[in-house]
Amino acid sequence: MVYAKQQVTLTREHHIPDVLLTAYEASEVSCGNSADGITKTGTRVVAGRTIAVDPSLIPLGSKVVINGHTYTAEDVGGAVKGHHIDIYMNTVSECMSFGKRYADAVWLEEYDAIQTVKYTFENGTLISQEVVAEEEIK
């Protein structure tokens, strides 16, 4: 048996039930006079990736899974509060077709940890490995 410590990045899942889903696009229709296609995090909006969230619930930069699709929380909105996510789309007509709907979301929180792993060998061949301890790095 051999014990080894390793630093790893792990993911916690935070389930957020019954999230109100709406859609927005980067024109003055959705974003007002300041519309420029640049998110709160400084990235350019991308359909299929960018969502606006309430950062008191979901931190900016986080990955969020909605109906099996993974988005990135890159933006905020004046009306986006609590269990409400605004999904970026390319056109006003796409947004109007999307309308309002509800779904469960999963916020994926990444964190660093140190794991102690027990490796078991038999005749020089690894036969098992097991994480025996884990400590989150703060």
Side-chain angles (χ1 to χ4, degrees):
M1 267 184 273
V2 174
Y3 289 87
K5 290 189 179 217
Q6 61 187 14
Q7 183 172 337
V8 294
T9 299
L10 302 172
T11 303
R12 273 189 204 100
E13 293 186 356
H14 300 273
H15 295 269
I16 307 169
D18 299 320
V19 174
L20 169 63
L21 301 176
T22 55
Y24 76 108
E25 44 74 50
S27 76
E28 291 183 13
V29 172
S30 289
C31 301
N33 294 337
S34 63
D36 62 4
I38 303 300
T39 68
K40 180 72 171 178
T41 60
T43 61
R44 178 157 296 285
V45 290
V46 175
R49 182 190 76 198
T50 303
I51 57 175
V53 300
D54 179 345
S56 70
L57 179 65
I58 300 170
L60 291 173
S62 298
K63 300 296 184 197
V64 179
V65 179
I66 303 167
N67 294 327
H69 185 86
T70 303
Y71 298 90
T72 303
E74 298 177 311
D75 213 354
V76 298
V80 179
K81 302 289 182 220
H83 288 210
H84 178 189
I85 293 175
D86 215 5
I87 300 173
Y88 176 76
M89 297 185 178
N90 287 320
T91 66
V92 172
S93 67
E94 286 176 295
C95 294
M96 298 303 285
S97 293
F98 185 83
K100 292 181 179 182
R101 39 185 99 169
Y102 289 86
D104 294 341
V106 179
W107 160 41
L108 304 175
E109 177 189 16
E110 290 190 344
Y111 65 98
D112 292 324
I114 299 291
Q115 291 182 331
T116 302
V117 181
K118 178 175 86 173
Y119 297 94
T120 304
F121 294 87
E122 190 173 284
N123 297 325
T125 300
L126 178 65
I127 60 169
S128 70
Q129 65 185 51
E130 173 188 2
V131 175
V132 294
E134 182 178 291
E135 182 178 337
E136 185 173 351
I137 299 171
K138 300 280 180 175

